[in-house]
């Protein structure tokens, strides 16, 4: 277990990527105490910060490093009529509280209406603030997203948010290391979302508990930064502390030129450092999982936790097929909640709603992927499709590329940026009994609205599902494109 | 933080695995900007079922929640811990907790106790057979005691000490002001800043 002991001089054993980044941030290490780590970047949003700022006020403390802190509004923000006052008074108070806190404590804020506003995990990378080898925290479990850059990025609770605001450090318990190696090439119709859903189904929602997962292997190296973010984003759904991918030329190219990326001599120095951030040949992981990319297929969830998933070509499993009593009981409860029966082909599951967006799949490549499937096709009768860009910048880019027109021509709703239906804190919610194919990250009971039922899918599967009205992949659409649009 | 030494109270059996924080406290409750007033939101959806354990009169007033594996998965919302505490729970027992939830609980003085699943099931049987059964969670001796149950549990010494003393993490960290300042002075110039580039 890392950081359990003081470093040993002359130890020949190599280190993993996670251990290197951790070591470079140790402010204080003492026997029998958690390491005190320095935090390079602290992201804030309106939901998990108000009680932390209150704590600072009560103790008479300031924000130690406003220059390493940034806030945006995402969870509560409406995706329609954003120029009007927010209808829900409780949401409005929470946003106003963030605005007051940021003003009082001198924290940079991108509020609703600002061109840099968006889902916090889309905004950080977009601004070039998320960089290799940094430590990133946010009062949000999907902070693991930033690990795609080779950053060590953790979701934290509100007490820890207050701790970082006051000290720019966090005492962190030691972690274990896990390698998830994906060999070979992903089949053409398999996306990063399918891959991570398959990983979670394999190791379980608690399989990553206590671990920092490093995703590696040929299939990972070939992924774009946005696809890597999708994978690291969902590390938390496997229970992992964080997910990471070693930075490479793809990473450097993504960061270079962004607003907060290093420039000139700083850039050269940074890249020289970033190139050292990979797991050494002789380093050992505490646990290893190997996956053959060629065996993967479009993947969807059937249950009420992200580990309850299967290839789209399969049927809803029979709870009796689970050997573990607790898993069997969980599967029974899940089928009951989801209104599914064992043996029902997943492709026959009809949906009412399709949601494309979130910190998992709300970036420009995700929108392009969904739009390419929808081009020249229409959303099935009785299906509502919401497309919610992850940030204002993503929305502007999509408009420039004409993607918004593809969505609206198909009959989908093109909305403003935010977390939206991923968790339904704003008006975008499922009604009781409604079923959604969603590109978000959690299929928990009621997550997208009380009584709502969620199937987690990739943007491609979401779009194909919208066209056919039941769970489907683009391969199922071969004969439904209108000839005039080809 | 309130100190935790030992607590004796009735066990509430929650026979569910993967109790995610969206179940513990649904998202619409997260709009509140205080740390209190979350008790009515605790397990809000499940409490609509009259059979749910918290609705059974025999289990009213229980203070030790005994749950299935992977308790507290999902969202980092500390509101989940506040909701359990606001409702009256002092400790939660499970064979496995999600990391962020566990960290949050220990920072608020809600003791999360990891016991083997067999022991969890024994506690479920005891509490279901006689809801008045009392369970003692003793942090001093690191033991859970109930009729016929004498189980040791692990908690790292540093976390235990902070709970026993009810220490404030921020004050402890600020004793390292010199080390923090020294670290800051040696950070590379290329590291990102959120202020004007």
């Amino acid at each position: 277990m890392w950081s359990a002991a003081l470093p040993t001089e002359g130890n020949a054993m190599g280190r993993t990527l996670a251990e290197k980044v951790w070591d470079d941030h140790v402010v204080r290490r003492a026997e029998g105490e958690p390491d005190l780590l320095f935090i390079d970047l602290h992201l804030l949003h309106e939901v998990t910060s108000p009680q932390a700022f209150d704590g600072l006020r009560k103790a008479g403390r300031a924000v130690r490093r406003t220059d390493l802190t940034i806030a945006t509004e995402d969870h509560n923000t409406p995706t329609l009529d954003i120029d009007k006052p927010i209808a829900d008074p409780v949401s409005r108070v929470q946003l106003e509280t963030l605005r007051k806190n940021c003003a009082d404590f001198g924290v940079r804020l991108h509020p609703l209406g600002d061109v840099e506003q968006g889902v916090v995990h889309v905004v950080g990378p977009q601004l070039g603030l998320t960089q290799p080898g940094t430590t990133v925290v946010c009062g949000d479990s999907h902070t693991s997203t930033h690990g795609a850059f080779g950053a060590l990025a953790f979701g934290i609770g509100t007490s820890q948010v207050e701790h970082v605001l006051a000290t720019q450090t966090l005492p962190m318990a030691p972690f274990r290391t896990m390698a998830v190696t994906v060999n070979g090439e992903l089949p053409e119709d398999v996306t990063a979302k399918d891959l991570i859903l398959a990983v979670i189904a394999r190791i379980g929602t608690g399989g990553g508990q206590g671990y920092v997962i490093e995703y590696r292997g040929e299939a990972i190296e070939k992924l774009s930064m946005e696809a890597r973010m999708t994978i690291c984003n969902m590390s938390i759904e496997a229970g992992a502390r964080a997910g990471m991918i070693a930075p490479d030329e793809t990473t450097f190219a993504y960061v270079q030129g962004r607003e907060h990326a290093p420039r000139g001599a700083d850039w050269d120095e940074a890249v020289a450092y970033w190139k050292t951030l990979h797991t050494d040949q002789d380093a050992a992981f505490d646990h290893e999982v190997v996956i053959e990319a060629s065996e993967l297929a479009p993947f969807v969830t059937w249950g009420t936790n992200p580990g309850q998933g299967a290839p789209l070509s399969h049927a809803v499993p029979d709870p009796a097929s689970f050997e573990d009593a607790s898993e069997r009981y969980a599967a029974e409860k899940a089928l009951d909640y989801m209104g599914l029966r064992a043996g029902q082909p997943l492709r026959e599951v009809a949906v009412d709603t399709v949601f494309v967006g979130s910190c998992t799949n709300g970036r420009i490549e995700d929108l392009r992927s969904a739009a390419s499937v929808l081009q020249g096709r229409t959303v099935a009768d009785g299906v509502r499709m919401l497309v919610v860009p992850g940030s204002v910048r993503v929305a502007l880019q999509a408009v420039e590329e004409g993607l918004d027109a593809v969505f609206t021509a198909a009959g989908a709703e093109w909305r403003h940026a935010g977390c939206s239906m991923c968790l339904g804190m704003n008006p975008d919610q499922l009604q009781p009994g409604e079923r959604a194919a969603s590109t978000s990250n959690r299929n928990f009971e009621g997550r997208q609205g009380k009584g709502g039922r969620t199937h987690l899918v990739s943007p491609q599967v979401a779009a194909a599902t919208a066209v056919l009205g039941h769970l489907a992949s683009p391969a199922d659409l071969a004969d439904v494109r209108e000839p005039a649009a080809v | 933080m309130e100190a935790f030494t030992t607590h004796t109270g009735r066990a509430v059996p929650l026979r569910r695995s993967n109790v995610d924080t969206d179940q513990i406290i649904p998202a619409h409750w997260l709009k509140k900007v205080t740390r209190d007033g979350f008790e009515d939101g605790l397990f809000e959806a499940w409490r609509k079922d009259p059979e749910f354990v918290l609705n059974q009169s025999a289990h009213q007033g229980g203070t030790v929640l005994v749950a299935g594996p992977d308790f507290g998965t999902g969202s980092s919302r500390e509101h989940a811990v506040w909701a359990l505490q606001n409702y009256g729970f002092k400790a939660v027992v499970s064979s496995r907790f999600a990391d962020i939830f566990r960290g949050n609980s220990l920072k608020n003085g809600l003791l999360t106790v990891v016991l083997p699943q067999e022991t969890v099931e024994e506690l479920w049987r005891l509490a279901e057979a006689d809801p008045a059964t009392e369970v003692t969670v003793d942090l001093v001796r690191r033991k859970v005691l109930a009729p016929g149950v004498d189980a040791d549990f692990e908690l790292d010494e540093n976390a235990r000490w902070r709970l026993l003393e009810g220490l404030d993490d921020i004050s402890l960290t600020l004793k390292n002001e010199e080390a923090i300042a020294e670290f800051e002075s040696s950070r590379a110039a290329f590291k990102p800043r959120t202020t004007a580039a």
Side-chain angles (χ1 to χ4, degrees):
Chain A
M1 192 175 283
W2 198 247
S3 91
L6 292 164
T8 317
E9 277 303 315
N11 187 344
M13 192 72 165
R15 292 179 300 161
T16 64
L17 164 63
E19 290 160 350
K20 287 181 181 181
V21 178
W22 180 288
D23 281 352
D24 285 350
H25 291 84
V26 175
V27 169
R28 180 174 183 273
R29 179 172 284 177
E31 188 69 35
E33 290 182 35
D35 281 355
L36 188 64
L37 291 195
F38 192 80
I39 303 303
D40 288 316
L41 178 63
H42 188 188
L43 306 164
L44 297 169
H45 62 72
E46 75 274 18
V47 179
T48 54
S49 63
Q51 297 86 350
F53 280 110
D54 262 2
L56 291 186
R57 276 196 189 88
K58 280 188 191 130
R61 291 174 177 137
V63 174
R64 183 183 181 93
R65 296 294 301 266
T66 51
D67 61 334
L68 304 182
T69 311
I70 187 168
T72 188
E73 300 172 353
D74 54 6
H75 285 62
N76 277 271
T77 50
T79 57
L80 287 173
D81 301 327
I82 64 164
D83 48 340
K84 295 184 186 144
I86 293 168
D88 178 346
V90 194
S91 286
R92 192 166 68 231
V93 166
Q94 191 159 59
L95 292 169
E96 283 165 357
T97 303
L98 180 68
R99 289 169 197 177
K100 177 171 176 12
N101 285 332
C102 287
D104 288 357
F105 288 87
V107 172
R108 173 176 166 186
L109 168 68
H110 294 295
L112 186 62
D114 186 281
V115 72
E116 300 296 353
Q117 179 263 341
V119 181
V120 67
H121 307 307
V122 177
V123 169
Q126 189 171 271
L127 285 168
L129 285 166
T130 303
Q131 293 178 16
T134 54
T135 45
V136 181
V137 297
C138 175
D140 194 287
S141 59
H142 291 112
T143 309
S144 57
T145 310
H146 307 266
F149 291 79
L152 191 55
F154 303 103
I156 58 178
T158 297
S159 293
Q160 289 172 303
V161 169
E162 183 181 340
H163 195 286
V164 176
L165 288 172
T167 71
Q168 204 57 36
T169 64
L170 265 187
M172 294 294 289
F175 65 92
R176 292 175 289 175
T177 57
M178 183 190 296
V180 171
T181 305
V182 189
N183 292 323
E185 275 189 63
L186 289 176
E188 207 176 327
D189 61 343
V190 174
T191 68
K193 183 64 166 288
D194 302 305
L195 167 57
I196 190 63
L197 285 173
V199 168
I200 299 163
R202 167 113 162 238
I203 68 176
T205 56
Q209 200 249 333
Y211 289 97
V212 173
I213 297 177
E214 181 181 334
Y215 303 94
R216 55 213 307 257
E218 190 188 350
I220 300 291
E221 288 162 18
K222 288 195 171 155
L223 293 176
S224 69
M225 283 315 296
E226 300 203 350
R228 294 179 190 185
M229 283 188 251
T230 299
I231 288 176
C232 289
N233 171 275
M234 289 194 72
S235 302
I236 184 70
E237 313 315 335
R241 298 265 297 275
M244 295 178 93
I245 294 171
D248 58 12
E249 293 300 330
T250 303
T251 321
F252 309 154
Y254 182 96
V255 173
Q256 192 166 29
R258 290 183 185 270
E259 186 181 336
H260 291 276
R263 292 174 200 286
D266 276 349
W267 172 259
D268 298 336
E269 200 189 330
V271 171
Y273 170 62
W274 296 346
K275 285 184 173 172
T276 68
L277 300 174
H278 54 79
T279 293
D280 294 327
Q281 290 280 353
D282 55 345
F285 289 93
D286 296 311
H287 187 68
E288 296 199 49
V289 173
V290 178
I291 287 176
E292 299 303 327
S294 62
E295 293 170 8
L296 297 170
F299 211 88
V300 301
T301 61
W302 49 265
T304 54
N305 75 56
Q308 292 175 322
L312 174 64
S313 58
H314 287 201
V316 174
D318 185 346
S321 67
F322 291 92
E323 281 178 24
D324 178 80
S326 150
E327 278 185 44
R328 187 164 56 240
Y329 182 65
E332 283 167 10
K333 281 272 186 196
L335 294 199
D336 184 41
Y337 180 85
M338 293 294 289
L340 298 173
R341 55 178 171 78
Q344 182 177 1
L346 285 164
R347 272 201 167 86
E348 290 178 10
V349 175
V351 305
D352 312 287
T353 302
V354 172
F355 171 65
V356 173
S358 85
C359 58
T360 310
N361 282 127
R363 287 171 289 266
I364 191 67
E365 287 179 13
D366 301 312
L367 301 193
R368 284 179 193 145
S369 168
S372 72
V373 175
L374 276 185
Q375 175 83 50
R377 298 186 168 113
T378 51
V379 173
D381 284 346
V383 174
R384 173 174 66 140
M385 181 178 189
L386 258 65
V387 182
V388 182
S391 70
V392 176
R393 291 283 185 200
V394 169
L396 292 172
Q397 177 74 27
V399 169
E400 196 178 308
E401 297 180 18
L403 305 182
D404 61 325
V406 173
F407 292 124
T408 50
E413 297 176 39
W414 172 248
R415 299 291 191 90
H416 289 285
C419 298
S420 179
M421 196 180 268
C422 174
L423 82 169
M425 276 191 80
N426 76 349
D428 307 336
Q429 297 177 18
L430 294 180
Q431 295 304 306
E434 274 189 341
R435 185 183 300 280
S438 176
T439 67
S440 56
N441 40 57
R442 290 187 174 137
N443 50 346
F444 298 152
E445 290 180 21
R447 168 82 175 180
Q448 297 190 288
K450 276 181 200 170
R453 296 158 168 169
T454 303
H455 296 272
L456 301 177
V457 301
S458 72
Q460 288 188 19
V461 167
T465 298
V467 173
L468 291 175
H470 59 78
L471 293 177
S473 71
D476 302 324
L477 291 173
D479 50 350
V480 297
R481 194 187 293 268
E482 289 161 23
V486 173
Chain B
M1 177 178 78
E2 204 177 317
F4 190 108
T5 50
T6 183
H7 172 77
T8 299
R10 281 187 283 130
V12 176
L14 180 60
R15 283 187 180 264
R16 294 286 298 241
S17 61
N18 272 289
V19 176
D20 60 75
T21 54
D22 274 78
Q23 303 316 314
I24 301 173
I25 187 83
H28 70 99
W29 283 87
L30 274 48
K31 298 176 185 182
K32 286 166 62 65
V33 296
T34 58
R35 284 174 179 254
D36 49 26
F38 292 98
E39 58 276 12
D40 291 340
L42 181 70
F43 298 121
E44 187 181 52
W46 293 348
R47 274 163 78 183
K48 294 205 162 65
D49 172 6
E51 297 299 307
F52 182 61
V53 67
L54 291 190
N55 291 332
Q56 296 172 20
S57 55
H59 290 295
Q60 295 302 307
T63 52
V64 179
L65 186 66
V66 184
D70 296 313
F71 188 88
T73 53
S75 157
S76 65
R77 58 188 70 166
E78 198 158 312
H79 313 66
V81 171
W82 304 331
L84 286 160
Q85 291 184 309
N86 291 168
Y87 187 85
F89 285 109
K90 303 292 182 195
V92 185
V93 176
S94 169
S95 66
R96 190 161 59 189
F97 290 95
D99 278 318
I100 302 177
F101 175 82
R102 186 136 206 250
N104 289 342
S105 69
L106 299 176
K107 290 196 185 313
N108 285 275
L110 176 74
L111 186 59
T112 38
V113 179
V114 178
L115 290 179
Q117 183 62 20
E118 305 88 77
T119 315
V120 167
E121 284 172 22
E122 180 57 26
L123 292 171
W124 280 344
R125 279 191 290 272
L126 284 171
E128 284 165 359
D130 178 7
T133 305
E134 292 211 316
V135 174
T136 295
V137 181
D138 183 344
L139 181 60
V140 182
R141 295 191 295 154
R142 273 188 278 219
K143 270 182 183 301
V144 171
L145 302 161
V149 174
D150 180 342
D152 295 314
F153 67 87
E154 304 257 329
L155 184 67
D156 81 79
E157 195 43 52
N158 190 268
R160 176 172 169 266
W161 167 67
R162 284 184 290 176
L163 273 170
L164 288 172
E165 302 289 329
L167 295 174
D168 163 18
D169 275 4
I170 297 177
S171 303
L172 286 178
T173 295
L174 287 173
K175 289 181 183 164
N176 300 300
E177 169 58 36
E178 214 170 297
I180 300 171
E182 192 185 317
F183 187 96
E184 286 175 320
S185 67
S186 63
R187 281 178 85 230
F190 61 75
K191 290 274 189 175
R193 283 170 196 274
T194 57
T195 39

